[in-house]
């Protein structure tokens, strides 16, 4: 088959959580000797709990120079709990620098546990020379490559959850590249009014449409808001929102009535701006043979102008051949105008030998992205069929 446009993610990334405190006019905590602290004691304790839950903490080199943070878990009880779980007392501390320009006297290097520096090829020698043995230095190539960085953290350091605490440049790059899984903002009832104060995000192109509000919580006079990105990736590179939607599709598969002759599959169709257009699952409603993608697409007006830019998320590779309907799901997707599909699991030969929905889609001009990190979740409601 032709797979020029079928992409399989080679390594999963950590869950990336961006965390910041901002004023009502969008400014971050001011820096300098008279630093304005936007949060209060209760929110600082919340941040400490989030740090304790993370495998690694990341800040940009500019934040180290400006704020001189220690970046530690402060609560003795939380440190003890980490040790009891077999984890280090403090999460791995990570920074990013293009130039290798780091202050070896900063508290970041002399407190806590292991430290890691990601840099460019040209910055690696300088960083190693300045820091000596205070941190491991990892060159990423001629430029800073966030996907390479996240893949290395996951594969080589076992990081499953990464908390990013700034600064604005780092937050901007991760959110613009679709690599942030969650944004946590503590909004303080202050208006800074200083045009020189640092901002949470810089200029550039961000996701179309709205983020999804996950939680709001009052913490004294601060309001915590948590958001998730919703807009699908473009082309073969997966975005954080692709993972959210694919997980949703896999969870929908658990709603399927059990069958000994057909897979349980879930599907979601999402517009380019992150709007959910429809969802479905196998054997939905009163139709004992309907497939997940078929059920979802049937709920959308075929003339909907959002379909050509939409992404179909399916827990199982869309079928290429079937006896119960005139058209298989791969053909239905192509007929709808959708040209991007994200799936977790390639169809085995259980019912159809040599099933190749990906090949049908690719030959029809669609991008197919496979995220095998979700294969186990997709297989869970089908264990009785897999032997």
């Amino acid at each position: 088959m032709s797979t020029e446009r079928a992409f399989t993610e080679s390594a999963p990334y950590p869950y990336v959580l961006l965390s910041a405190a901002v004023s009502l006019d969008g400014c971050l905590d001011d820096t300098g000797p008279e630093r304005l602290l936007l949060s209060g004691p209760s929110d600082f304790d919340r941040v400490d709990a989030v740090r304790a839950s993370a495998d690694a903490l990341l800040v940009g080199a500019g934040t180290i120079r400006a704020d001189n943070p220690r970046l530690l878990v402060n609560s003795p009880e939380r440190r003890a709990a980490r040790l009891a779980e077999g984890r280090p007392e403090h999460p791995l501390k990570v920074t990013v620098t293009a130039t290798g320009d780091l202050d070896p006297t900063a508290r970041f290097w002399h407190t806590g546990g292991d430290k890691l520096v990601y840099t460019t090829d040209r910055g690696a020698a300088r960083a190693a020379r300045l820091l000596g043995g205070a941190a491991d230095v990892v060159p990423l190539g001629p430029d800073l490559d966030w996907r390479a960085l996240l893949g290395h953290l996951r594969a080589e350091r076992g990081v499953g959850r990464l908390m990013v605490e700034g600064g604005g440049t780092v937050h901007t790059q991760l959110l613009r590249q679709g690599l942030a899984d969650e944004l946590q903002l503590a909004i303080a009832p202050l208006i800074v009014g200083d045009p020189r104060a640092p901002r949470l995000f810089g200029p550039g192109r961000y996701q179309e449409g709205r983020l999804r509000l996950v939680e709001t919580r009052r913490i004294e006079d601060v309001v915590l808001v948590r958001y998730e990105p919703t807009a699908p990736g473009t082309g073969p590179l997966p975005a954080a929102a692709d993972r959210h939607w694919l997980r949703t599709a896999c969870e929908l598969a658990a709603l399927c009535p059990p069958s000994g002759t057909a897979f349980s599959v879930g599907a979601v169709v999402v517009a380019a701006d992150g709007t959910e257009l429809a969802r479905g699952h196998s054997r939905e409603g009163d139709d004992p043979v309907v497939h997940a993608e078929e059920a979802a697409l049937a709920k959308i007006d075929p003339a909907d102008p959002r379909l050509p830019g939409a992404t179909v998320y399916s827990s199982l590779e869309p079928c290429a051949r079937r006896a119960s309907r005139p058209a298989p799901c791969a053909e239905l997707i192509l007929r709808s105008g959708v040209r991007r599909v994200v799936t977790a699991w390639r169809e085995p030969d259980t019912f159809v030998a040599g099933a190749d929905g990906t090949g049908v889609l690719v030959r029809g001009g669609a991008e197919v992205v496979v995220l095998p990190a979700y294969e186990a979740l997709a297989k869970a409601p089908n264990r009785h069929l897999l032997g």
Side-chain angles (χ1 to χ4, degrees):
M1 82 175 182
S2 173
T3 57
E4 293 86 350
R5 301 181 69 186
F7 175 86
T8 299
E9 186 177 67
S10 58
Y13 301 151
Y15 185 94
V16 178
L17 184 158
L18 308 188
S19 175
V22 296
S23 65
L24 289 173
D25 54 341
C27 293
L28 296 165
D29 288 352
D30 277 337
T31 58
E34 298 181 358
R35 180 180 179 188
L36 174 64
L37 297 178
L38 298 176
S39 295
S42 295
D43 189 56
F44 290 139
D45 186 66
R46 175 195 66 82
V47 171
D48 194 62
V50 178
R51 284 181 180 174
S53 73
D55 300 308
L57 310 173
L58 185 148
V59 293
T63 298
I64 294 177
R65 288 191 291 269
D67 293 0
N68 195 22
R70 296 185 308 154
L71 222 64
L72 303 175
V73 175
N74 294 311
S75 162
E77 292 79 14
R78 292 180 182 126
R79 295 199 300 270
R82 287 178 59 91
L83 290 172
E85 294 167 356
R87 298 198 291 169
E89 187 177 19
H90 296 281
L92 172 70
K93 298 202 295 187
V94 184
T95 191
V96 183
T97 170
T99 64
D101 181 15
L102 299 165
D103 179 3
T105 68
R107 294 187 297 178
F108 184 90
W109 313 111
H110 304 289
T111 56
D114 292 344
K115 292 91 182 175
L116 189 59
V117 176
Y118 287 104
T119 184
T120 59
D121 291 341
R122 67 181 183 280
R126 184 178 187 186
R129 183 176 66 254
L130 287 170
L131 297 178
D136 292 332
V137 177
V138 179
L140 295 173
D143 302 299
L144 289 176
D145 182 335
W146 280 103
R147 290 181 180 274
L149 183 157
L150 294 175
H152 185 274
L153 275 177
R154 182 67 170 154
E156 302 299 328
R157 303 304 294 254
V159 172
R161 185 174 177 87
L162 174 66
M163 181 180 182
V164 181
E165 298 194 48
T169 299
V170 170
H171 282 149
T172 295
Q173 291 175 353
L174 285 167
L175 199 61
R176 285 190 61 196
Q177 293 182 39
L179 296 172
D181 293 274
E182 181 180 337
L183 174 61
Q184 291 192 2
L185 297 180
I187 303 175
L190 296 168
I191 300 174
V192 175
D194 186 346
R196 299 167 298 175
R199 301 280 166 171
L200 176 61
F201 297 118
R205 182 178 176 84
Y206 294 88
Q207 80 151 68
E208 298 181 42
R210 304 167 78 90
L211 302 174
R212 178 189 296 110
L213 179 63
V214 177
E215 179 190 7
T216 60
R217 189 193 322 167
R218 180 175 177 175
I219 306 172
E220 295 178 342
D221 64 349
V222 169
V223 176
L224 171 70
V225 292
R226 294 174 52 223
Y227 291 99
E228 288 180 348
T230 59
T234 56
L237 293 178
D242 289 327
R243 298 179 179 85
H244 290 305
W245 288 117
L246 185 58
R247 174 174 287 276
T248 297
C250 292
E251 291 168 349
L252 284 170
L255 301 178
C256 300
S259 171
T261 58
F263 290 114
S264 292
V265 182
V268 189
V269 185
V270 182
D273 67 355
T275 301
E276 180 180 328
L277 300 181
R279 60 175 62 190
H281 59 79
S282 303
R283 301 177 293 284
E284 184 177 319
D286 297 326
D287 191 336
V289 297
V290 72
H291 285 194
E293 304 93 329
E294 177 188 15
L297 289 169
K299 299 170 186 173
I300 307 171
D301 182 347
D304 192 319
R306 297 171 294 180
L307 275 171
T311 295
V312 168
Y313 297 90
S314 180
S315 60
L316 178 66
E317 174 184 41
C319 63
R321 300 190 302 277
R322 62 187 296 191
S324 59
R325 289 286 196 269
C329 290
E331 290 290 349
L332 293 176
I333 290 169
L334 293 173
R335 291 179 191 177
S336 74
V338 170
R339 289 297 179 268
R340 187 169 186 268
V341 177
V342 179
T343 185
W345 178 28
R346 298 293 298 271
E347 183 178 354
D349 291 341
T350 307
F351 302 116
V352 179
D356 185 18
T358 296
V360 173
L361 290 165
V362 168
R363 288 190 292 274
E367 297 274 5
V368 179
V369 181
V370 183
L371 302 182
Y374 293 88
E375 183 175 316
L377 187 59
K379 286 181 174 179
N382 295 287
R383 289 193 188 98
H384 62 291
L385 301 172
L386 303 176

